[in-house]
Amino acid sequence: MDSSLAVSISTYTEDPTLYSIKAILVMDNDGARLVSKYFDKSFPTIKEQKTFERNLFNKTHRANAEIVMFEGLTCVYRSSVDLFFYVVGSSNENELLLMSVLNCLFDSVSQMLRKNVEKKMLLDKLDSVFLAIDEICDGGILLESDPNTVVSRAAVKQDDIPLGEQTVSQVLSIAKEQIGWSILK
C-alpha cells in the first residue's frame, strides 16, 4: 500500500468512541430554545450555542428532510405542530444511531405529553422532559433507546393521589384516559 494513501486514510478515521451525541435540542416554531443540552465543548458559550441554534433552525425549518450536515456536524431533526426536535453528532457519526436517539426522545415526550406534543404542554412537563433526556443520554453516551423504558424511569407520578383526595374531574379524566389506552391496545 502506498504510504501517502495510508496516511490520508488514517487522518480521516477517528478512533471509536462512546461519546456519539454532541447536543439534544428542542426549539419552538420561531427558533427559540425550549430545551438544550450540550455534551461537549463544541459550543462553549451560550452566545455560540444560540448562534448555532438560530442558524440550524433557519436551515431546517422549511426543509422536508430528516438529516442535514451543518457546520461540520450531522444533525437529525423532526418537527411536530410547533416544536422542532434535534439530535446533533459529529460528521463521522452513524446517522441511524442519531435517528434512534431522536425517535426515542420524540416518542418519550409524546407519551409523557399524552400524544399532545406542542409547546404549551412541553413547558408544563419540562421537568419530565429533562429527566427523559438524562435517561436517554449521559455526557454524550447513549444509555437507552426504548421510549417505554425512558418514560417509566423519568415519569413524575401525579396519578398516585389517593382517590379520596381527587376531584371528580380528576377521577373522570383518569378513567377516560385509561379507557382510551385500553381501546388503543
Side-chain angles (χ1 to χ4, degrees), residues 33-164:
R33 172 197 291 193
L34 300 175
V35 176
S36 71
K37 190 121 185 190
Y38 288 85
F39 299 107
D40 71 353
K41 303 295 183 204
S42 296
F43 304 98
T45 66
I46 292 177
K47 182 179 179 183
E48 290 175 352
Q49 292 173 4
K50 293 220 178 214
T51 302
F52 171 75
E53 292 166 9
R54 183 176 46 257
N55 293 338
L56 178 63
F57 178 78
N58 289 336
K59 181 164 181 137
T60 60
H61 78 282
R62 288 191 205 117
N64 289 332
E66 295 178 333
I67 184 168
V68 65
M69 293 297 288
F70 183 71
E71 294 185 8
L73 300 169
T74 303
C75 306
V76 293
Y77 62 98
R78 182 174 182 176
S79 65
S80 174
V81 186
D82 58 351
L83 296 174
F84 286 83
F85 294 82
Y86 297 90
V87 175
V88 180
S90 72
S91 61
N92 298 328
E93 194 52 59
N94 184 340
E95 295 87 3
L96 295 175
L97 177 103
L98 296 176
M99 191 56 84
S100 72
V101 172
L102 178 66
N103 288 336
C104 180
L105 173 65
F106 182 83
D107 293 343
S108 299
V109 170
S110 179
Q111 284 182 30
M112 286 188 288
L113 301 181
R114 299 186 172 124
K115 309 286 186 216
N116 192 11
V117 183
E118 60 184 27
K119 182 178 177 179
K120 181 185 180 312
M121 293 297 294
L122 182 113
L123 292 175
D124 289 343
K125 300 262 187 179
L126 199 56
D127 55 343
S128 297
V129 174
F130 275 109
L131 287 173
I133 291 172
D134 289 341
E135 289 295 330
I136 294 169
C137 181
D138 182 32
I141 300 173
L142 174 63
L143 299 176
E144 186 62 60
S145 62
D146 177 37
N148 295 324
T149 305
V150 170
V151 169
S152 69
R153 290 181 184 163
V156 178
K157 301 284 186 194
Q158 296 176 342
D159 297 335
D160 293 341
I161 302 169
L163 190 59

